[in-house]
Amino acid sequence: MRCKDIHFIQIIHSFGSFFVSLRQIMKYKDLFVDFDDTLYDTYGNSVIALKETYETFGLARYFADPNNFYDAYWQTNIDLWTQYSKGEITRDYLIVERFRRPLSTGKGLDATEAYCLEINDRFLDLLSSKSGVVDGAHELMDYLKRKGYRMHMCSNGFHEVQYKKLSACGLKDYFDTVILSEDASANKPSPQFFDYALQRSGAQRKSTLMIGDNLQTDIMGAMSAGLDALFFNRYPEYEKTKAPTYTVTSLRDIKKIL
């Protein structure tokens, strides 16, 4: 074998050793990533969709001030999703009740179950067509994909809506697995959800990191299940009962950690 051939083989071997070493020093191989308000701007897109829904159904006839409806909706929605994540209410109850309560404050409006379902369906259709993402979402996902992480979306969102939102915002192809609470038969923060996510993704507990914006469902849930967790603290007002493994206030800051 000629000297230059031997030298070439040595160079290739060196590069191979470098990349193997790089993979070995990466603490995490799998990332569980929350979707709503971590990557997808659910709140911002919902504000637009809710206004469009209000106008589509002519709800101004029943409300002197549209903010009375909007404020009642947001408070109700937060309360119901908190209950849903704890398994205290069903999906079917949530989608009706989140509109029944605010609509019931309208003057002369009969908020029947059928009417609430009609409004909910229209709202979700409008919402799931929106493409807005949290600042830095695409940049982060490009970076993590190039680094070689396996990424798995972990969400309590509804099956028929989440896939539409994933396609609308252009984030679908970044994920190796999409893991939804309806498939797991348990919601975050239940340990059952995270056990299912590990089994479904083939990830190992010690080399998996959960990334999310909800301190209770994403972070405390993951840590209780034995996972490290990165808290995307978009609105620094949470009182931490247990310190997350990492905390950032911007998606771009995650690149300094991973």
Side-chain angles (χ1 to χ4, degrees):
M1 184 178 292
R2 292 175 297 178
C3 289
K4 65 178 182 180
D5 292 331
I6 295 173
H7 183 58
F8 177 76
I9 292 171
Q10 288 174 335
I11 292 174
I12 295 299
H13 183 267
S14 296
F15 271 106
S17 299
F18 169 77
F19 286 113
V20 169
S21 298
L22 183 62
R23 292 296 296 176
Q24 287 174 341
I25 65 174
M26 288 174 64
K27 183 176 182 180
Y28 305 108
K29 296 180 180 179
D30 291 270
L31 304 177
F32 287 175
V33 188
D34 174 58
F35 183 63
D36 290 293
D37 287 317
T38 296
L39 298 174
Y40 185 78
D41 186 12
T42 304
Y43 176 74
N45 292 327
S46 294
V47 167
I48 299 170
L50 195 62
K51 184 176 185 294
E52 292 172 343
T53 302
Y54 185 91
E55 294 171 349
T56 298
F57 285 86
L59 296 180
R61 294 171 292 170
Y62 309 109
F63 294 90
D65 183 347
N67 288 321
N68 293 336
F69 170 75
Y70 298 143
D71 291 346
Y73 170 83
W74 286 115
Q75 185 57 58
T76 299
N77 195 56
I78 291 170
D79 291 344
L80 291 174
W81 273 102
T82 299
Q83 289 182 276
Y84 181 72
S85 68
K86 295 177 181 178
E88 296 174 353
I89 60 174
T90 65
R91 170 190 184 279
D92 291 342
Y93 179 83
L94 186 155
I95 62 177
V96 171
E97 194 67 9
R98 70 172 167 186
F99 280 105
R100 188 195 66 78
R101 292 183 196 176
L103 289 172
S104 295
T105 65
K107 187 176 181 180
L109 175 54
D110 184 14
T112 64
E113 180 176 341
Y115 187 63
C116 292
L117 283 172
E118 184 181 0
I119 288 184
N120 178 77
D121 289 346
R122 183 57 179 158
F123 169 72
L124 290 180
D125 282 342
L126 290 166
L127 171 61
S128 60
S129 69
K130 308 299 182 206
S131 60
V133 297
V134 176
D135 184 43
H138 284 285
E139 178 185 334
L140 173 65
M141 296 300 278
D142 280 337
Y143 169 82
L144 295 174
K145 200 71 172 178
R146 289 198 307 270
K147 291 278 285 186
Y149 291 104
R150 296 175 67 238
M151 291 182 281
H152 316 282
M153 174 177 145
C154 290
S155 171
N156 283 348
F158 303 141
H159 204 280
E160 71 276 15
V161 179
Q162 297 302 75
Y163 281 99
K164 291 180 182 178
K165 291 193 292 189
L166 269 171
S167 296
C169 70
L171 291 173
K172 182 178 179 181
D173 291 340
Y174 288 108
F175 290 106
D176 295 273
T177 318
V178 174
I179 301 163
L180 302 178
S181 59
E182 289 181 320
D183 296 326
S185 299
N187 299 321
K188 295 179 295 180
S190 167
Q192 183 181 337
F193 176 91
F194 291 99
D195 287 344
Y196 174 84
L198 289 167
Q199 180 273 323
R200 173 80 185 278
S201 64
Q204 299 299 310
R205 205 176 299 269
K206 289 184 178 181
S207 58
T208 300
L209 177 71
M210 175 73 207
I211 301 172
D213 73 304
N214 190 296
L215 185 62
Q216 297 303 321
T217 58
D218 298 323
I219 307 309
M220 296 298 102
M223 295 180 76
S224 295
L227 302 174
D228 284 357
L230 189 156
F231 180 33
F232 175 29
N233 193 4
R234 295 183 68 190
Y235 309 104
E237 57 190 29
Y238 285 104
E239 180 181 349
K240 302 182 184 69
T241 54
K242 184 178 180 181
T245 315
Y246 313 98
T247 299
V248 298
T249 56
S250 163
L251 289 181
R252 291 184 176 89
D253 289 341
I254 296 176
K255 295 194 292 183
K256 301 173 185 177
I257 297 170
L258 298 175

